[in-house]
Amino acid sequence: MFQVRCLFLVVLLTWLAPVMVWAQVETPAAANKRLFDRTVDELNFRTMETVYDKTFTRRKFPVSLRTQQQRRQFDDFNGNADLKKLFLNYNDLSERFKNRFGKGRTDLAEFERQLNGLLIDKNFEFFISVIPRDERIALIRAEQRIIKQATAQFNASQDPTPDELATDAATVPPADATTLPSGDASELEDVAPQPEVVVPSSGGPIIRSADVPSTHDWFDYLTLALALGSSLGLLYVLTSVLPEMRARLNELDPTHATRSSDSLPSDRYEDE
């Protein structure tokens, strides 16, 4: 009986030893990477499930398709080859997001940024464009909640503390130290960012912001001078040239003076 118990303890320790070793060997970075991959699979599943259920009202996307390989083997698209190709392409493209985390920064901010990048990816926007707008908004909000749950499970024990970040920022020289201007006033003015000018797409007039200083070149001043010259010329013609021409025309017409002096007919009683 004692030998049986010893054999049972040996078998139990042999079975538990790899598990205990794996739990000790797995670092927080590896656990966070596994959490990231699992969250990406969950986001992709929710996206494909929503699009499939809204496309086929009498079919449901299987809840067991949690991995990329399982979703790739799914073939129930009611004979719609284009829709099947769309699902397969998105399944492969969205899987590539797993390779974007774990090689560079692995802190919580990068973890959340990479997951949110899946929701603004152009392939994601194109894939969900087949469903109504309200359904798209509901899907995005549901996936944002999934991302928040994943960030809550993130192990930030290896992330740098605020004191370490402040120390690193103090020791590292400015990144743009070699690109600073030499000190000339004109260069310093050029470095300052200028407000943008809003250009309407409809081809209308350019609307300049109130903060943008008005700049004029020689062409603007030439246009203003020509406009003033045209206005003065027109005023001179109306006030001087036209009255003088009318006076000369009146002098050339001999009947004008007679008509002007005998404008009213006179009565001739003596003829009667």
Side-chain angles (χ1 to χ4, degrees):
M1 188 66 180
F2 179 76
Q3 295 179 351
V4 174
R5 290 181 180 179
C6 292
L7 182 61
F8 177 75
L9 290 176
V10 170
V11 173
L12 181 62
L13 291 176
T14 305
W15 180 76
L16 291 178
V19 178
M20 296 174 62
V21 171
W22 176 80
Q24 295 178 357
V25 171
E26 188 182 30
T27 61
N32 293 332
K33 173 60 177 174
R34 187 162 51 85
L35 176 62
F36 182 86
D37 294 346
R38 187 170 68 251
T39 307
V40 170
D41 280 330
E42 181 66 20
L43 293 174
N44 295 339
F45 169 77
R46 294 293 182 182
T47 301
M48 300 180 71
E49 179 189 34
T50 303
V51 175
Y52 185 87
D53 292 349
K54 298 302 177 182
T55 304
F56 300 103
T57 56
R58 297 185 179 181
R59 284 180 168 84
K60 295 296 181 182
F61 198 70
V63 296
S64 59
L65 305 181
R66 298 288 177 171
T67 63
Q68 187 261 353
Q69 292 79 8
Q70 292 174 347
R71 291 190 294 268
R72 188 171 184 82
Q73 296 174 1
F74 181 68
D75 196 21
D76 187 10
F77 293 96
N78 197 22
N80 192 336
D82 294 336
L83 186 63
K84 178 182 177 180
K85 183 178 180 181
L86 178 65
F87 270 71
L88 292 178
N89 290 339
Y90 179 74
N91 189 32
D92 295 337
L93 291 173
S94 59
E95 185 71 11
R96 298 178 184 177
F97 270 82
K98 293 182 179 180
N99 300 325
R100 299 187 180 184
F101 182 79
K103 298 181 180 179
R105 291 175 49 190
T106 57
D107 54 356
L108 178 60
E110 183 67 14
F111 179 85
E112 188 174 5
R113 188 183 71 85
Q114 292 291 349
L115 289 178
N116 286 324
L118 183 62
L119 304 184
I120 60 176
D121 183 68
K122 61 180 181 180
N123 297 308
F124 173 78
E125 295 178 354
F126 176 76
F127 185 71
I128 67 175
S129 62
V130 297
I131 61 179
R133 182 176 180 273
D134 296 339
E135 300 294 339
R136 295 198 301 267
I137 295 175
L139 173 63
I140 293 174
R141 290 179 178 175
E143 296 191 349
Q144 287 176 345
R145 288 192 294 269
I146 295 175
I147 294 175
K148 289 182 180 179
Q149 294 175 0
T151 54
Q153 301 175 11
F154 184 85
N155 187 350
S157 60
Q158 294 185 347
D159 289 0
T161 61
D163 296 337
E164 294 177 351
L165 292 176
T167 304
D168 295 340
T171 57
V172 176
D176 56 349
T178 58
T179 60
L180 291 177
S182 59
D184 189 18
S186 61
E187 294 181 1
L188 293 175
E189 292 176 358
D190 292 337
V191 171
Q194 298 293 335
E196 296 182 355
V197 177
V198 180
V199 181
S201 58
S202 58
I206 297 177
I207 302 175
R208 180 173 291 151
S209 175
D211 298 333
V212 179
S214 59
T215 56
H216 303 288
D217 53 3
W218 64 270
F219 184 77
D220 296 333
Y221 292 109
L222 178 61
T223 304
L224 179 61
L226 293 176
L228 291 176
S230 301
S231 301
L232 292 176
L234 180 61
L235 182 62
Y236 174 75
V237 170
L238 293 176
T239 57
S240 299
V241 177
L242 289 181
E244 184 178 358
M245 291 180 63
R246 184 171 182 177
R248 290 185 179 181
L249 290 175
N250 292 337
E251 292 177 358
L252 294 176
D253 189 2
T255 62
H256 178 73
T258 305
R259 289 198 304 268
S260 60
S261 59
D262 299 337
S263 59
L264 295 177
S266 58
D267 296 335
R268 296 181 181 180
Y269 296 100
E270 64 273 9
D271 294 341
E272 297 178 357

